Amino acid sequence: MNFPPPGRFPPLILDDVRGAQKMLSGVSRVTPLEGSRHLSALVGAPVQFKCENLQRTGSFKLRGAYVRISGLTPVERAAGVVAASAGNHAQGVALASALLGVRATVFMPVGAPLPKVAATREYGAQVRLHGHVVDETLAAAQEYARETGAVFIHPFDHPDIIAGQGTVGLEILDQCPEVRTIVVGIGGGGLAAGIAVAVKAIRPDVRIVGVQAAGAACYPPSLAAGHPVSIGSLQTMADGIKVGRPGDVPFGLVRELVDEVRTVSEDELSSALLLCLERAKMVVEPAGASPVAALLSDPKSFRGPVVALLSGGNVDPLLMQRILTHGMSAAGRYLSLRLRLTDRPGALATMLGVLTVADANVLDVSHVRTDPRLGLTEAEVELHLETKGPEHCEEVAAALRGAGYLVMG
């Protein structure tokens, strides 16, 4: 597929997505649908995950990148391609270029997770670390394109990219013909736009719900204004959908075809990621868990059967550790409290015995005996406990109070 320069793109139609699907045959995987009993019970209808976290390179990005690079002329291929990304798009462009025999240069932020940098290099791309935020990295990649003639591969703002991502929608309809709602995370909008083009052309009755992180939600104000607008500060752990402005091409399609765009909080994202790991045994990055967060936040508002798209699983292990801790705290699995006890031998052991009976796991204990606020015979203990959930937290606190301890929360 060859399109004219930006600003003069023809409308994207179902045939474009079907053409992309043929192009991707034998290249991208037809990723599975996996049912979620927990979410199905909450929604009151079947809920299934579309597992693009199991796609080659760990996300859906290979689809659009391959279609875009496939559409280049021989002269453009000879000049090579360049991209800017902190992770998923970088890996998609790197692998697509390697498969097509095209030289690829990928600019990544200086602080990009080392596993993503290493994976991008292993797929065959030359990696250049530049800038501390994606905007700086993007500017460097575009300057490189101007200087060298390399073709800039945008992560979402091109019809070929959108057509490639739209093949996910065709697979969903084949795998779950009875689907009534598709929930998908939105950053720049390429994935949601492509799915909407494919699905609405075949099943206009299917409701498509986009999900953004509340701290990086550029679509609600843009939809209200009727055109893409930039937002200022971007604060979210979901770096895969951390985009400050919708793409011009996907915005028009999202506005026309996506039924609703919702936002989710950081706590909801953490809880969703934890649920994917514990209940579905799925390693999912925060952006990929955003549809699950939306389902958890208001399950009864979704008409089933529902397909929630897990768009990627490329998460840095250190970030995963922090997110899981945050998610367990948001889910009431951690309890922090302070209490007073008599400063005498064995008092701490007696208090810990109460926690043993209450079946709370002690993660950390801080024992203070010299604070001037304490009486001569008092000590203060700060506890960090692992519990089984909010109800268990209340039971543990009640057990301590019942044993005569002053619990200060």
Side-chain angles (χ1 to χ4, degrees):
M1 287 176 285
N2 293 312
F3 290 89
R8 300 200 305 275
F9 291 123
L12 197 69
I13 60 174
L14 177 61
D15 284 347
D16 297 318
V17 183
R18 284 180 167 153
Q21 188 175 45
K22 291 179 182 177
M23 197 177 296
L24 288 167
S25 177
V27 176
S28 64
R29 293 173 180 153
V30 177
T31 52
L33 287 187
E34 296 288 344
S36 171
R37 293 177 61 187
H38 180 73
L39 286 175
S40 297
L42 292 178
V43 172
V47 175
Q48 297 189 77
F49 296 144
K50 175 62 171 170
C51 302
E52 281 295 288
N53 58 314
L54 303 180
Q55 184 57 261
R56 297 178 71 178
T57 76
S59 88
F60 69 96
K61 288 288 190 177
L62 171 65
R63 297 173 183 263
Y66 188 89
V67 173
R68 173 75 173 101
I69 298 170
S70 293
L72 299 180
T73 66
V75 172
E76 289 172 326
R77 290 194 186 198
V81 299
V82 61
S85 168
N88 289 346
H89 181 58
Q91 294 172 71
V93 168
L95 179 56
S97 299
L99 293 172
L100 292 165
V102 177
R103 184 178 69 258
T105 302
V106 177
F107 284 76
M108 303 182 76
V110 172
L114 293 179
K116 294 184 179 182
V117 175
T120 303
R121 285 186 172 132
E122 288 171 8
Y123 287 128
Q126 180 187 39
V127 174
R128 297 194 178 191
L129 300 178
H130 184 93
H132 294 278
V133 295
V134 174
D135 285 346
E136 295 173 354
T137 308
L138 181 63
Q142 291 172 326
E143 179 62 25
Y144 178 88
R146 287 189 291 268
E147 291 177 352
T148 66
V151 179
F152 179 67
I153 307 299
H154 199 285
F156 50 80
D157 205 11
H158 192 282
D160 283 354
I161 296 287
I162 297 170
Q165 322 304 29
T167 60
V168 177
L170 294 180
E171 290 178 14
I172 290 173
L173 292 181
D174 286 341
Q175 294 169 310
C176 184
E178 67 278 14
V179 64
R180 300 179 74 185
T181 305
I182 296 174
V183 192
V184 55
I186 296 185
L191 177 61
I195 289 175
V197 167
V199 171
K200 290 291 189 178
I202 300 171
R203 287 278 310 281
D205 60 303
V206 173
R207 184 171 180 80
I208 298 178
V209 178
V211 184
Q212 291 208 289
C218 60
Y219 263 89
S222 296
L223 292 170
H227 58 83
V229 299
S230 298
I231 59 175
S233 176
L234 302 176
Q235 301 293 332
T236 179
M237 69 179 77
D239 56 353
I241 52 174
K242 191 177 180 180
V243 177
R245 183 185 185 277
D248 292 327
V249 180
F251 174 78
L253 296 168
V254 169
R255 180 178 60 177
E256 178 183 356
L257 299 173
V258 172
D259 295 283
E260 180 185 2
V261 175
R262 300 187 180 192
T263 61
V264 292
S265 69
E266 298 299 285
D267 282 351
E268 288 166 341
L269 285 169
S270 296
S271 297
L273 191 145
L274 186 62
L275 181 142
C276 288
L277 191 62
E278 284 192 320
R279 298 296 185 95
K281 314 308 177 193
M282 289 284 178
V283 175
V284 183
E285 62 191 88
S290 59
V292 179
L295 287 166
L296 286 174
S297 67
D298 191 8
K300 295 302 182 183
S301 65
F302 292 90
R303 184 181 60 177
V306 177
V307 173
L309 179 57
L310 307 182
S311 58
N314 293 319
V315 57
D316 179 66
L318 294 177
L319 176 61
M320 172 70 87
Q321 184 179 25
R322 295 197 298 269
I323 291 171
L324 290 178
T325 299
H326 186 83
M328 290 183 72
S329 179
R333 298 277 293 279
Y334 289 141
L335 174 63
S336 296
L337 49 81
R338 291 178 300 115
L339 52 85
R340 298 277 176 90
L341 48 76
T342 303
D343 186 16
R344 58 176 174 76
L348 182 60
T350 301
M351 184 270 296
L352 293 175
V354 176
L355 296 175
T356 299
V357 173
D359 201 21
N361 185 34
V362 179
L363 299 176
D364 187 51
V365 178
S366 176
H367 191 197
V368 179
R369 305 169 68 183
T370 57
D371 193 308
R373 295 173 299 177
L374 298 173
L376 291 175
T377 61
E378 286 184 321
E380 184 173 288
V381 175
E382 184 174 350
L383 295 167
H384 298 283
L385 310 173
E386 181 183 357
T387 67
K388 300 173 182 177
E391 292 183 0
H392 190 210
C393 287
E394 294 177 4
E395 292 171 3
V396 171
L400 288 169
R401 292 189 184 98
Y405 294 103
L406 175 61
V407 178
M408 293 174 284

